[in-house]
Amino acid sequence: LLRAVAKHADWWNYSFRDLATYAHKQEVLKGHCRDVGRDYDEITQVVRIGILIGETEQEVERLKTQPHIRPMQDIRLAGTPAQVTEALLGVIRRGAHRLTVNFADAPRPDGTQLFASKVLPNL
């Protein structure tokens, strides 16, 4: 798929797992870009991240056990606003041009509202 991105795509949509895997995939994409004579920096990187956010670490742990929360294997980032902010800034520093986020507690609005008030202003 990354070879097709290198040849044809203007955007690369990546489903985030962790920073090390993202960095590896970026290096693979860079190699494919070199192979096809494409400027890697022309490709807009969009990273999709599932987030579980709570005011405190205890709240995050409590939320993980709730029946309305999406399965944690789908959620790659769980933490307090400060932890989520730091992790997302790392993704941005790694090269993400855009972030697409989904919240583990949706349609409950609490995670989305907490993210909007405490994380988004720092990005």
Side-chain angles (χ1 to χ4, degrees):
L1 183 59
L2 289 175
R3 183 174 299 281
V5 170
K7 286 178 89 171
H8 304 290
D10 295 323
W11 294 55
W12 170 38
N13 293 303
Y14 174 71
S15 293
F16 186 79
R17 291 181 186 92
D18 56 64
L19 274 178
T21 303
Y22 181 40
H24 170 73
K25 296 290 186 177
Q26 287 175 310
E27 292 306 313
V28 171
L29 180 57
K30 285 177 187 176
H32 290 314
C33 286
R34 279 190 301 273
D35 292 346
V36 301
R38 175 85 184 273
D39 181 358
Y40 167 82
D41 293 322
E42 289 179 355
I43 300 169
T44 300
Q45 295 183 32
V46 180
V47 177
R48 185 188 75 73
I49 304 176
I51 297 174
L52 176 63
I53 188 171
E55 285 282 358
T56 65
E57 290 182 15
Q58 294 81 9
E59 177 69 3
V60 173
E61 292 305 312
R62 186 189 69 75
L63 285 169
K64 286 180 181 179
T65 67
Q66 299 302 302
H68 65 280
I69 298 297
R70 289 185 187 160
M72 290 311 295
Q73 65 265 22
D74 296 339
I75 304 303
R76 301 300 179 163
L77 178 54
T80 65
Q83 292 166 332
V84 169
T85 298
E86 185 56 35
L88 292 178
L89 288 173
V91 171
I92 292 167
R93 282 190 296 269
R94 188 68 232 162
H97 299 107
R98 299 203 185 342
L99 300 173
T100 303
V101 297
N102 62 301
F103 297 97
D105 62 344
R108 182 177 161 262
D110 300 38
T112 304
Q113 291 170 343
L114 183 58
F115 180 88
S117 66
K118 301 274 179 93
V119 176
L120 198 54
N122 299 301
L123 303 179

